[in-house]
PDB file of all heavy atoms in Angstrom:
ATOM      1  N   THR A 552       8.490  -2.584   5.315  1.00  0.00           N
ATOM      2  CA  THR A 552       8.449  -2.873   6.750  1.00  0.00           C
ATOM      3  C   THR A 552       8.874  -1.651   7.551  1.00  0.00           C
ATOM      4  O   THR A 552       9.210  -1.768   8.731  1.00  0.00           O
ATOM      5  CB  THR A 552       9.390  -4.057   7.089  1.00  0.00           C
ATOM      6  OG1 THR A 552      10.720  -3.741   6.646  1.00  0.00           O
ATOM      7  CG2 THR A 552       8.919  -5.338   6.431  1.00  0.00           C
ATOM      8  N   ALA A 553       8.863  -0.472   6.910  1.00  0.00           N
ATOM      9  CA  ALA A 553       9.344   0.757   7.549  1.00  0.00           C
ATOM     10  C   ALA A 553       8.183   1.554   8.146  1.00  0.00           C
ATOM     11  O   ALA A 553       7.835   1.378   9.316  1.00  0.00           O
ATOM     12  CB  ALA A 553      10.141   1.586   6.546  1.00  0.00           C
ATOM     13  N   ARG A 554       7.553   2.414   7.338  1.00  0.00           N
ATOM     14  CA  ARG A 554       6.397   3.189   7.774  1.00  0.00           C
ATOM     15  C   ARG A 554       5.413   3.315   6.619  1.00  0.00           C
ATOM     16  O   ARG A 554       5.801   3.428   5.450  1.00  0.00           O
ATOM     17  CB  ARG A 554       6.816   4.594   8.258  1.00  0.00           C
ATOM     18  CG  ARG A 554       7.401   4.624   9.657  1.00  0.00           C
ATOM     19  CD  ARG A 554       6.345   4.273  10.699  1.00  0.00           C
ATOM     20  NE  ARG A 554       6.839   4.277  12.068  1.00  0.00           N
ATOM     21  CZ  ARG A 554       7.347   3.231  12.702  1.00  0.00           C
ATOM     22  NH1 ARG A 554       7.450   2.071  12.064  1.00  0.00           N
ATOM     23  NH2 ARG A 554       7.750   3.321  13.944  1.00  0.00           N
ATOM     24  N   GLY A 555       4.125   3.314   6.961  1.00  0.00           N
ATOM     25  CA  GLY A 555       3.087   3.235   5.957  1.00  0.00           C
ATOM     26  C   GLY A 555       3.081   4.361   4.949  1.00  0.00           C
ATOM     27  O   GLY A 555       2.919   4.134   3.738  1.00  0.00           O
ATOM     28  N   ASN A 556       3.247   5.590   5.406  1.00  0.00           N
ATOM     29  CA  ASN A 556       3.095   6.735   4.511  1.00  0.00           C
ATOM     30  C   ASN A 556       4.269   6.941   3.568  1.00  0.00           C
ATOM     31  O   ASN A 556       4.274   7.885   2.779  1.00  0.00           O
ATOM     32  CB  ASN A 556       2.853   8.012   5.328  1.00  0.00           C
ATOM     33  CG  ASN A 556       1.381   8.224   5.622  1.00  0.00           C
ATOM     34  OD1 ASN A 556       0.551   8.113   4.720  1.00  0.00           O
ATOM     35  ND2 ASN A 556       1.044   8.487   6.871  1.00  0.00           N
ATOM     36  N   ILE A 557       5.249   6.069   3.620  1.00  0.00           N
ATOM     37  CA  ILE A 557       6.319   6.129   2.625  1.00  0.00           C
ATOM     38  C   ILE A 557       5.770   5.702   1.264  1.00  0.00           C
ATOM     39  O   ILE A 557       6.241   6.138   0.225  1.00  0.00           O
ATOM     40  CB  ILE A 557       7.512   5.246   3.061  1.00  0.00           C
ATOM     41  CG1 ILE A 557       8.138   5.805   4.338  1.00  0.00           C
ATOM     42  CG2 ILE A 557       8.570   5.158   1.944  1.00  0.00           C
ATOM     43  CD1 ILE A 557       9.181   4.918   4.981  1.00  0.00           C
ATOM     44  N   ILE A 558       4.737   4.865   1.288  1.00  0.00           N
ATOM     45  CA  ILE A 558       4.076   4.436   0.048  1.00  0.00           C
ATOM     46  C   ILE A 558       2.721   5.133  -0.086  1.00  0.00           C
ATOM     47  O   ILE A 558       1.965   5.219   0.873  1.00  0.00           O
ATOM     48  CB  ILE A 558       3.855   2.912   0.044  1.00  0.00           C
ATOM     49  CG1 ILE A 558       5.188   2.165  -0.034  1.00  0.00           C
ATOM     50  CG2 ILE A 558       2.969   2.492  -1.121  1.00  0.00           C
ATOM     51  CD1 ILE A 558       5.038   0.654  -0.110  1.00  0.00           C
ATOM     52  N   ASP A 559       2.436   5.616  -1.273  1.00  0.00           N
ATOM     53  CA  ASP A 559       1.103   6.109  -1.607  1.00  0.00           C
ATOM     54  C   ASP A 559       0.237   4.874  -1.832  1.00  0.00           C
ATOM     55  O   ASP A 559       0.351   4.188  -2.849  1.00  0.00           O
ATOM     56  CB  ASP A 559       1.172   6.969  -2.873  1.00  0.00           C
ATOM     57  CG  ASP A 559      -0.182   7.515  -3.304  1.00  0.00           C
ATOM     58  OD1 ASP A 559      -1.221   6.964  -2.879  1.00  0.00           O
ATOM     59  OD2 ASP A 559      -0.205   8.467  -4.093  1.00  0.00           O
ATOM     60  N   GLU A 560      -0.615   4.544  -0.850  1.00  0.00           N
ATOM     61  CA  GLU A 560      -1.366   3.296  -0.908  1.00  0.00           C
ATOM     62  C   GLU A 560      -2.351   3.248  -2.065  1.00  0.00           C
ATOM     63  O   GLU A 560      -2.620   2.178  -2.622  1.00  0.00           O
ATOM     64  CB  GLU A 560      -2.075   3.060   0.426  1.00  0.00           C
ATOM     65  CG  GLU A 560      -1.107   2.720   1.552  1.00  0.00           C
ATOM     66  CD  GLU A 560      -1.795   2.519   2.890  1.00  0.00           C
ATOM     67  OE1 GLU A 560      -3.041   2.624   2.953  1.00  0.00           O
ATOM     68  OE2 GLU A 560      -1.090   2.266   3.887  1.00  0.00           O
ATOM     69  N   GLU A 561      -2.898   4.378  -2.431  1.00  0.00           N
ATOM     70  CA  GLU A 561      -3.822   4.404  -3.573  1.00  0.00           C
ATOM     71  C   GLU A 561      -3.085   4.046  -4.856  1.00  0.00           C
ATOM     72  O   GLU A 561      -3.569   3.253  -5.677  1.00  0.00           O
ATOM     73  CB  GLU A 561      -4.460   5.789  -3.711  1.00  0.00           C
ATOM     74  CG  GLU A 561      -5.479   5.883  -4.836  1.00  0.00           C
ATOM     75  CD  GLU A 561      -6.141   7.241  -4.931  1.00  0.00           C
ATOM     76  OE1 GLU A 561      -6.090   8.007  -3.947  1.00  0.00           O
ATOM     77  OE2 GLU A 561      -6.718   7.544  -6.001  1.00  0.00           O
ATOM     78  N   ALA A 562      -1.883   4.617  -5.014  1.00  0.00           N
ATOM     79  CA  ALA A 562      -1.081   4.308  -6.204  1.00  0.00           C
ATOM     80  C   ALA A 562      -0.636   2.851  -6.191  1.00  0.00           C
ATOM     81  O   ALA A 562      -0.603   2.182  -7.235  1.00  0.00           O
ATOM     82  CB  ALA A 562       0.135   5.233  -6.256  1.00  0.00           C
ATOM     83  N   LEU A 563      -0.309   2.330  -5.008  1.00  0.00           N
ATOM     84  CA  LEU A 563       0.096   0.930  -4.898  1.00  0.00           C
ATOM     85  C   LEU A 563      -1.057   0.005  -5.290  1.00  0.00           C
ATOM     86  O   LEU A 563      -0.865  -0.968  -6.025  1.00  0.00           O
ATOM     87  CB  LEU A 563       0.563   0.614  -3.479  1.00  0.00           C
ATOM     88  CG  LEU A 563       0.978  -0.832  -3.226  1.00  0.00           C
ATOM     89  CD1 LEU A 563       2.197  -1.198  -4.059  1.00  0.00           C
ATOM     90  CD2 LEU A 563       1.242  -1.066  -1.735  1.00  0.00           C
ATOM     91  N   TYR A 564      -2.243   0.309  -4.792  1.00  0.00           N
ATOM     92  CA  TYR A 564      -3.421  -0.503  -5.120  1.00  0.00           C
ATOM     93  C   TYR A 564      -3.634  -0.550  -6.634  1.00  0.00           C
ATOM     94  O   TYR A 564      -3.850  -1.622  -7.212  1.00  0.00           O
ATOM     95  CB  TYR A 564      -4.660   0.064  -4.439  1.00  0.00           C
ATOM     96  CG  TYR A 564      -5.951  -0.530  -4.951  1.00  0.00           C
ATOM     97  CD1 TYR A 564      -6.339  -1.824  -4.591  1.00  0.00           C
ATOM     98  CD2 TYR A 564      -6.770   0.193  -5.826  1.00  0.00           C
ATOM     99  CE1 TYR A 564      -7.509  -2.387  -5.081  1.00  0.00           C
ATOM    100  CE2 TYR A 564      -7.940  -0.356  -6.313  1.00  0.00           C
ATOM    101  CZ  TYR A 564      -8.301  -1.651  -5.944  1.00  0.00           C
ATOM    102  OH  TYR A 564      -9.453  -2.202  -6.441  1.00  0.00           O
ATOM    103  N   GLU A 565      -3.554   0.595  -7.268  1.00  0.00           N
ATOM    104  CA  GLU A 565      -3.774   0.657  -8.711  1.00  0.00           C
ATOM    105  C   GLU A 565      -2.720  -0.151  -9.468  1.00  0.00           C
ATOM    106  O   GLU A 565      -3.032  -0.883 -10.411  1.00  0.00           O
ATOM    107  CB  GLU A 565      -3.774   2.112  -9.177  1.00  0.00           C
ATOM    108  CG  GLU A 565      -4.975   2.910  -8.662  1.00  0.00           C
ATOM    109  CD  GLU A 565      -4.882   4.384  -8.993  1.00  0.00           C
ATOM    110  OE1 GLU A 565      -3.870   4.784  -9.624  1.00  0.00           O
ATOM    111  OE2 GLU A 565      -5.805   5.142  -8.626  1.00  0.00           O
ATOM    112  N   ALA A 566      -1.466  -0.035  -9.028  1.00  0.00           N
ATOM    113  CA  ALA A 566      -0.385  -0.754  -9.697  1.00  0.00           C
ATOM    114  C   ALA A 566      -0.553  -2.262  -9.555  1.00  0.00           C
ATOM    115  O   ALA A 566      -0.298  -3.030 -10.492  1.00  0.00           O
ATOM    116  CB  ALA A 566       0.964  -0.308  -9.125  1.00  0.00           C
ATOM    117  N   LEU A 567      -0.998  -2.709  -8.390  1.00  0.00           N
ATOM    118  CA  LEU A 567      -1.212  -4.135  -8.162  1.00  0.00           C
ATOM    119  C   LEU A 567      -2.443  -4.640  -8.913  1.00  0.00           C
ATOM    120  O   LEU A 567      -2.421  -5.721  -9.516  1.00  0.00           O
ATOM    121  CB  LEU A 567      -1.361  -4.400  -6.665  1.00  0.00           C
ATOM    122  CG  LEU A 567      -0.103  -4.222  -5.810  1.00  0.00           C
ATOM    123  CD1 LEU A 567      -0.463  -4.208  -4.326  1.00  0.00           C
ATOM    124  CD2 LEU A 567       0.911  -5.325  -6.099  1.00  0.00           C
ATOM    125  N   LYS A 568      -3.511  -3.882  -8.862  1.00  0.00           N
ATOM    126  CA  LYS A 568      -4.768  -4.292  -9.505  1.00  0.00           C
ATOM    127  C   LYS A 568      -4.599  -4.410 -11.022  1.00  0.00           C
ATOM    128  O   LYS A 568      -5.144  -5.326 -11.654  1.00  0.00           O
ATOM    129  CB  LYS A 568      -5.874  -3.292  -9.175  1.00  0.00           C
ATOM    130  CG  LYS A 568      -7.263  -3.694  -9.678  1.00  0.00           C
ATOM    131  CD  LYS A 568      -8.312  -2.713  -9.176  1.00  0.00           C
ATOM    132  CE  LYS A 568      -9.718  -3.149  -9.610  1.00  0.00           C
ATOM    133  NZ  LYS A 568      -9.886  -3.082 -11.069  1.00  0.00           N
ATOM    134  N   GLU A 569      -3.856  -3.475 -11.586  1.00  0.00           N
ATOM    135  CA  GLU A 569      -3.675  -3.462 -13.037  1.00  0.00           C
ATOM    136  C   GLU A 569      -2.542  -4.378 -13.492  1.00  0.00           C
ATOM    137  O   GLU A 569      -2.297  -4.504 -14.692  1.00  0.00           O
ATOM    138  CB  GLU A 569      -3.391  -2.026 -13.511  1.00  0.00           C
ATOM    139  CG  GLU A 569      -4.512  -1.041 -13.227  1.00  0.00           C
ATOM    140  CD  GLU A 569      -5.829  -1.451 -13.867  1.00  0.00           C
ATOM    141  OE1 GLU A 569      -5.782  -1.972 -15.019  1.00  0.00           O
ATOM    142  OE2 GLU A 569      -6.891  -1.285 -13.238  1.00  0.00           O
ATOM    143  N   GLY A 570      -1.840  -5.022 -12.545  1.00  0.00           N
ATOM    144  CA  GLY A 570      -0.739  -5.898 -12.914  1.00  0.00           C
ATOM    145  C   GLY A 570       0.490  -5.146 -13.372  1.00  0.00           C
ATOM    146  O   GLY A 570       1.367  -5.701 -14.050  1.00  0.00           O
ATOM    147  N   GLN A 571       0.564  -3.879 -13.005  1.00  0.00           N
ATOM    148  CA  GLN A 571       1.717  -3.060 -13.383  1.00  0.00           C
ATOM    149  C   GLN A 571       2.973  -3.583 -12.692  1.00  0.00           C
ATOM    150  O   GLN A 571       4.067  -3.528 -13.260  1.00  0.00           O
ATOM    151  CB  GLN A 571       1.445  -1.606 -12.983  1.00  0.00           C
ATOM    152  CG  GLN A 571       2.506  -0.621 -13.432  1.00  0.00           C
ATOM    153  CD  GLN A 571       2.128   0.801 -13.052  1.00  0.00           C
ATOM    154  OE1 GLN A 571       0.960   1.123 -12.879  1.00  0.00           O
ATOM    155  NE2 GLN A 571       3.132   1.651 -12.925  1.00  0.00           N
ATOM    156  N   ILE A 572       2.818  -4.080 -11.451  1.00  0.00           N
ATOM    157  CA  ILE A 572       3.882  -4.784 -10.758  1.00  0.00           C
ATOM    158  C   ILE A 572       3.315  -6.127 -10.282  1.00  0.00           C
ATOM    159  O   ILE A 572       2.094  -6.299 -10.205  1.00  0.00           O
ATOM    160  CB  ILE A 572       4.455  -3.986  -9.566  1.00  0.00           C
ATOM    161  CG1 ILE A 572       3.382  -3.734  -8.500  1.00  0.00           C
ATOM    162  CG2 ILE A 572       5.066  -2.681 -10.037  1.00  0.00           C
ATOM    163  CD1 ILE A 572       3.927  -3.087  -7.230  1.00  0.00           C
ATOM    164  N   ALA A 573       4.203  -7.060  -9.953  1.00  0.00           N
ATOM    165  CA  ALA A 573       3.741  -8.420  -9.667  1.00  0.00           C
ATOM    166  C   ALA A 573       3.177  -8.596  -8.264  1.00  0.00           C
ATOM    167  O   ALA A 573       2.288  -9.421  -8.050  1.00  0.00           O
ATOM    168  CB  ALA A 573       4.886  -9.407  -9.882  1.00  0.00           C
ATOM    169  N   GLY A 574       3.687  -7.836  -7.312  1.00  0.00           N
ATOM    170  CA  GLY A 574       3.209  -8.044  -5.952  1.00  0.00           C
ATOM    171  C   GLY A 574       3.797  -7.056  -4.971  1.00  0.00           C
ATOM    172  O   GLY A 574       4.738  -6.313  -5.281  1.00  0.00           O
ATOM    173  N   ALA A 575       3.222  -7.060  -3.759  1.00  0.00           N
ATOM    174  CA  ALA A 575       3.719  -6.193  -2.685  1.00  0.00           C
ATOM    175  C   ALA A 575       3.535  -6.903  -1.356  1.00  0.00           C
ATOM    176  O   ALA A 575       2.519  -7.571  -1.129  1.00  0.00           O
ATOM    177  CB  ALA A 575       2.984  -4.855  -2.674  1.00  0.00           C
ATOM    178  N   GLY A 576       4.520  -6.760  -0.486  1.00  0.00           N
ATOM    179  CA  GLY A 576       4.425  -7.242   0.885  1.00  0.00           C
ATOM    180  C   GLY A 576       4.446  -6.043   1.803  1.00  0.00           C
ATOM    181  O   GLY A 576       5.429  -5.292   1.824  1.00  0.00           O
ATOM    182  N   VAL A 577       3.360  -5.830   2.531  1.00  0.00           N
ATOM    183  CA  VAL A 577       3.214  -4.600   3.315  1.00  0.00           C
ATOM    184  C   VAL A 577       2.917  -4.944   4.775  1.00  0.00           C
ATOM    185  O   VAL A 577       1.941  -5.626   5.079  1.00  0.00           O
ATOM    186  CB  VAL A 577       2.087  -3.712   2.740  1.00  0.00           C
ATOM    187  CG1 VAL A 577       2.068  -2.366   3.464  1.00  0.00           C
ATOM    188  CG2 VAL A 577       2.268  -3.504   1.236  1.00  0.00           C
ATOM    189  N   ASP A 578       3.758  -4.457   5.655  1.00  0.00           N
ATOM    190  CA  ASP A 578       3.584  -4.699   7.091  1.00  0.00           C
ATOM    191  C   ASP A 578       3.167  -3.435   7.835  1.00  0.00           C
ATOM    192  O   ASP A 578       2.807  -3.501   9.005  1.00  0.00           O
ATOM    193  CB  ASP A 578       4.892  -5.238   7.684  1.00  0.00           C
ATOM    194  CG  ASP A 578       4.762  -5.633   9.139  1.00  0.00           C
ATOM    195  OD1 ASP A 578       3.863  -6.440   9.459  1.00  0.00           O
ATOM    196  OD2 ASP A 578       5.553  -5.128   9.965  1.00  0.00           O
ATOM    197  N   VAL A 579       3.235  -2.287   7.169  1.00  0.00           N
ATOM    198  CA  VAL A 579       2.932  -1.006   7.807  1.00  0.00           C
ATOM    199  C   VAL A 579       2.021  -0.195   6.903  1.00  0.00           C
ATOM    200  O   VAL A 579       2.136  -0.263   5.676  1.00  0.00           O
ATOM    201  CB  VAL A 579       4.231  -0.220   8.110  1.00  0.00           C
ATOM    202  CG1 VAL A 579       5.003  -0.854   9.256  1.00  0.00           C
ATOM    203  CG2 VAL A 579       5.127  -0.143   6.868  1.00  0.00           C
ATOM    204  N   PHE A 580       1.120   0.592   7.505  1.00  0.00           N
ATOM    205  CA  PHE A 580       0.092   1.261   6.724  1.00  0.00           C
ATOM    206  C   PHE A 580      -0.090   2.702   7.174  1.00  0.00           C
ATOM    207  O   PHE A 580       0.263   3.072   8.296  1.00  0.00           O
ATOM    208  CB  PHE A 580      -1.224   0.494   6.855  1.00  0.00           C
ATOM    209  CG  PHE A 580      -1.100  -0.949   6.439  1.00  0.00           C
ATOM    210  CD1 PHE A 580      -0.779  -1.935   7.363  1.00  0.00           C
ATOM    211  CD2 PHE A 580      -1.271  -1.306   5.113  1.00  0.00           C
ATOM    212  CE1 PHE A 580      -0.637  -3.259   6.979  1.00  0.00           C
ATOM    213  CE2 PHE A 580      -1.128  -2.633   4.714  1.00  0.00           C
ATOM    214  CZ  PHE A 580      -0.804  -3.604   5.647  1.00  0.00           C
ATOM    215  N   ALA A 581      -0.671   3.513   6.279  1.00  0.00           N
ATOM    216  CA  ALA A 581      -0.922   4.912   6.598  1.00  0.00           C
ATOM    217  C   ALA A 581      -1.837   5.032   7.803  1.00  0.00           C
ATOM    218  O   ALA A 581      -1.684   5.922   8.646  1.00  0.00           O
ATOM    219  CB  ALA A 581      -1.520   5.627   5.394  1.00  0.00           C
ATOM    220  N   GLN A 582      -2.809   4.143   7.890  1.00  0.00           N
ATOM    221  CA  GLN A 582      -3.715   4.092   9.049  1.00  0.00           C
ATOM    222  C   GLN A 582      -3.651   2.696   9.643  1.00  0.00           C
ATOM    223  O   GLN A 582      -3.816   1.701   8.938  1.00  0.00           O
ATOM    224  CB  GLN A 582      -5.158   4.408   8.634  1.00  0.00           C
ATOM    225  CG  GLN A 582      -6.148   4.403   9.800  1.00  0.00           C
ATOM    226  CD  GLN A 582      -7.566   4.707   9.360  1.00  0.00           C
ATOM    227  OE1 GLN A 582      -7.793   5.330   8.316  1.00  0.00           O
ATOM    228  NE2 GLN A 582      -8.535   4.287  10.151  1.00  0.00           N
ATOM    229  N   GLU A 583      -3.388   2.639  10.943  1.00  0.00           N
ATOM    230  CA  GLU A 583      -3.323   1.347  11.631  1.00  0.00           C
ATOM    231  C   GLU A 583      -4.236   1.355  12.842  1.00  0.00           C
ATOM    232  O   GLU A 583      -4.228   2.324  13.610  1.00  0.00           O
ATOM    233  CB  GLU A 583      -1.877   1.048  12.046  1.00  0.00           C
ATOM    234  CG  GLU A 583      -0.949   0.866  10.848  1.00  0.00           C
ATOM    235  CD  GLU A 583       0.482   0.526  11.247  1.00  0.00           C
ATOM    236  OE1 GLU A 583       0.781   0.460  12.460  1.00  0.00           O
ATOM    237  OE2 GLU A 583       1.310   0.320  10.348  1.00  0.00           O
ATOM    238  N   PRO A 584      -5.043   0.278  13.019  1.00  0.00           N
ATOM    239  CA  PRO A 584      -5.156  -0.895  12.161  1.00  0.00           C
ATOM    240  C   PRO A 584      -5.638  -0.545  10.743  1.00  0.00           C
ATOM    241  O   PRO A 584      -6.319   0.463  10.547  1.00  0.00           O
ATOM    242  CB  PRO A 584      -6.195  -1.748  12.886  1.00  0.00           C
ATOM    243  CG  PRO A 584      -6.228  -1.263  14.275  1.00  0.00           C
ATOM    244  CD  PRO A 584      -5.926   0.195  14.197  1.00  0.00           C
ATOM    245  N   LEU A 585      -5.302  -1.379   9.801  1.00  0.00           N
ATOM    246  CA  LEU A 585      -5.747  -1.178   8.423  1.00  0.00           C
ATOM    247  C   LEU A 585      -7.261  -1.260   8.377  1.00  0.00           C
ATOM    248  O   LEU A 585      -7.854  -2.235   8.849  1.00  0.00           O
ATOM    249  CB  LEU A 585      -5.134  -2.256   7.532  1.00  0.00           C
ATOM    250  CG  LEU A 585      -5.448  -2.173   6.036  1.00  0.00           C
ATOM    251  CD1 LEU A 585      -4.833  -0.927   5.427  1.00  0.00           C
ATOM    252  CD2 LEU A 585      -4.953  -3.429   5.322  1.00  0.00           C
ATOM    253  N   PRO A 586      -7.932  -0.239   7.843  1.00  0.00           N
ATOM    254  CA  PRO A 586      -9.403  -0.258   7.794  1.00  0.00           C
ATOM    255  C   PRO A 586      -9.940  -1.483   7.059  1.00  0.00           C
ATOM    256  O   PRO A 586      -9.355  -1.944   6.072  1.00  0.00           O
ATOM    257  CB  PRO A 586      -9.739   1.034   7.038  1.00  0.00           C
ATOM    258  CG  PRO A 586      -8.565   1.926   7.271  1.00  0.00           C
ATOM    259  CD  PRO A 586      -7.372   1.011   7.304  1.00  0.00           C
TER     260      PRO A 586
END
């Protein structure tokens, strides 16, 4: 809930898609509005 670019969104997507982590709650994004 801080700022989008603190997380590498590509890496987050991969981790979620592959089940490497169970989930993510994201309120802020590198680009807003989220494409």
Side-chain angles (χ1 to χ4, degrees):
T552 57
R554 281 293 180 269
N556 272 313
I557 295 171
I558 293 183
D559 179 340
E560 290 178 1
E561 183 178 342
L563 178 64
Y564 168 75
E565 292 173 0
L567 291 167
K568 186 174 183 294
E569 298 302 322
Q571 185 177 336
I572 62 174
V577 187
D578 185 54
V579 288
F580 303 91
Q582 181 180 337
E583 295 182 358
L585 182 66

